């Protein structure tokens, strides 16, 4: 499985007890919260590794407790603690024509109404109070707030995001 075929789901937390169960910290902005999962992908170095799941239970706090096949102790779980978890995009529900997932913006060209082509979006961060785009320009990486007031159109099939950015925001980063 390639990382571009997946979306970020969360990370491995602390062991839960001594029998190989682990807390999963689910990203608060994940597009779905499945009731069951058969496997997850854990980013080990730069490679996604499939981990089969024998049990998956969501907790009232919005996280999960997971038991992986073959993991029988807290020592096994500690080897993967704090690693990032990904799920296949194939399990995501289909969206309407004008809807998109934030992870679909990565690789899109950002075009400003006045400035023209700004660069390519290489990361979307929604862990802050407002979503932020990291855009690779010809000379640098800049940060652009992704707020409704600036968005004109988003066309993920054409890999284009058109915005009307406030004057000076592009140069503010430089």
């Amino acid at each position: 499985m390639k990382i571009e075929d997946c979306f970020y789901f969360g990370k491995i937390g602390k062991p839960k007890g001594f029998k190989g169960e682990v807390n999963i910290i689910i990203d608060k902005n994940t597009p779905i919260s499945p009731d069951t999962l058969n496997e997850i992908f854990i980013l080990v170095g730069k490679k996604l590794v499939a981990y089969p799941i024998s049990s998956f239970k969501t907790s009232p706090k919005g996280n999960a407790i997971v038991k992986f096949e073959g993991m029988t102790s807290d020592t096994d779980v500690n080897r993967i603690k704090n690693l990032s978890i990904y799920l296949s995009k194939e399990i995501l529900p289909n969206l309407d024509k004008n809807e998109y997932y934030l992870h679909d913006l990565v690789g899109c060209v950002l075009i400003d109404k006045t400035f023209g082509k700004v660069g390519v979006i290489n990361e979307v961060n929604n862990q802050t109070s407002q979503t932020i785009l990291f855009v690779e320009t010809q000379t640098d990486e800049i940060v652009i707030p992704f707020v409704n007031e600036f968005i004109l159109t988003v066309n993920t099939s054409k890999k284009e995001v058109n915005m009307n950015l406030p004057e000076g925001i592009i140069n503010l980063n430089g």
Side-chain angles (χ1 to χ4, degrees), residues 59-73:
S59 71
K61 293 182 180 178
N63 291 320
I65 297 171
V66 174
K67 172 83 171 101
F68 293 108
E69 290 180 15
M71 289 196 180
T72 56
S73 71

Side-chain angles (χ1 to χ4, degrees), residues 69-87:
E69 290 180 15
M71 289 196 180
T72 56
S73 71
D74 60 333
T75 305
D76 292 337
V77 171
N78 276 321
R79 288 191 205 120
I80 59 171
K81 186 177 167 186
N82 294 324
L83 294 181
S84 295
I85 302 168
Y86 290 82
L87 298 179

Side-chain angles (χ1 to χ4, degrees), residues 75-127:
T75 305
D76 292 337
V77 171
N78 276 321
R79 288 191 205 120
I80 59 171
K81 186 177 167 186
N82 294 324
L83 294 181
S84 295
I85 302 168
Y86 290 82
L87 298 179
S88 171
K89 288 181 184 176
E90 291 175 0
I91 68 170
L92 291 173
N94 290 329
L95 297 175
D96 291 335
K97 184 179 178 187
N98 293 326
E99 295 180 314
Y100 54 88
Y101 292 111
L102 287 177
H103 62 255
D104 291 332
L105 301 178
V106 175
C108 288
V109 174
L110 175 63
I111 301 167
D112 176 57
K113 182 178 178 181
T114 307
F115 184 84
K117 180 182 173 185
V118 177
V120 177
I121 300 167
N122 61 19
E123 183 182 341
V124 179
N125 182 337
N126 57 359
Q127 302 298 313

Side-chain angles (χ1 to χ4, degrees), residues 38-54:
N38 297 326
E39 74 176 355
I40 62 171
F41 298 94
I42 298 178
L43 188 61
V44 180
K46 293 185 179 191
K47 185 176 182 185
L48 287 178
V49 178
Y51 278 77
I53 294 174
S54 56

